[in-house]
Amino acid sequence: MRIIARKTIIDFYTLHPDSKNALEAWFFEAKQAKWNSFNCIKDRYRSASLIAGNRVIFNICGNKYRLIVKIHYTVGLIYIRFIGTHKEYDKINAAEV
């Protein structure tokens, strides 16, 4: 999968250093993945949630942070839409980010 934009991940873990290992692990695993449906993701990430618009929510650092991505399965693209704390997540509309 091709992930846009890695800089978002780096910017986040620069502010939240405890998330670095988990976000880097997710990035490299997702980059090598060949996800063609949400079921492929769910097989690996049991706590992942599917929401409107092919968006997937991942729990990061034991659910301390949330990562929302939009996935275009047919072309193998992942767009990072949001990374934040639960408090920040509660302030957004996850289906519209």
Side-chain angles (χ1 to χ4, degrees):
M1 305 292 289
R2 186 167 161 226
I3 303 168
I4 302 170
R6 183 158 195 263
K7 184 177 181 329
T8 305
I9 291 174
I10 293 168
D11 290 347
F12 186 81
Y13 70 59
T14 299
L15 294 174
H16 303 275
D18 63 323
S19 68
K20 181 177 181 176
N21 290 340
L23 285 170
E24 286 290 320
W26 177 89
F27 177 85
F28 288 109
E29 189 168 329
K31 186 176 179 178
Q32 295 175 3
K34 304 230 185 295
W35 295 328
N36 56 23
S37 72
F38 177 70
N39 290 336
C40 294
I41 296 169
K42 195 69 171 174
D43 286 344
R44 171 65 180 100
Y45 296 95
R46 303 304 292 164
S47 64
S49 300
L50 179 65
I51 58 175
N54 281 336
R55 286 173 174 78
V56 178
I57 302 172
F58 293 92
N59 296 319
I60 303 295
C61 282
N63 205 19
K64 184 174 181 180
Y65 304 109
R66 292 276 174 102
L67 167 65
I68 301 174
V69 301
K70 182 172 182 161
I71 302 178
H72 292 277
Y73 297 102
T74 57
V75 294
L77 284 175
I78 299 173
Y79 294 94
I80 297 173
R81 305 302 297 165
F82 171 86
I83 308 173
T85 64
H86 275 273
K87 188 175 184 178
E88 294 166 333
Y89 173 83
D90 290 341
K91 294 178 182 178
I92 65 164
N93 182 339
E96 292 182 2
V97 295

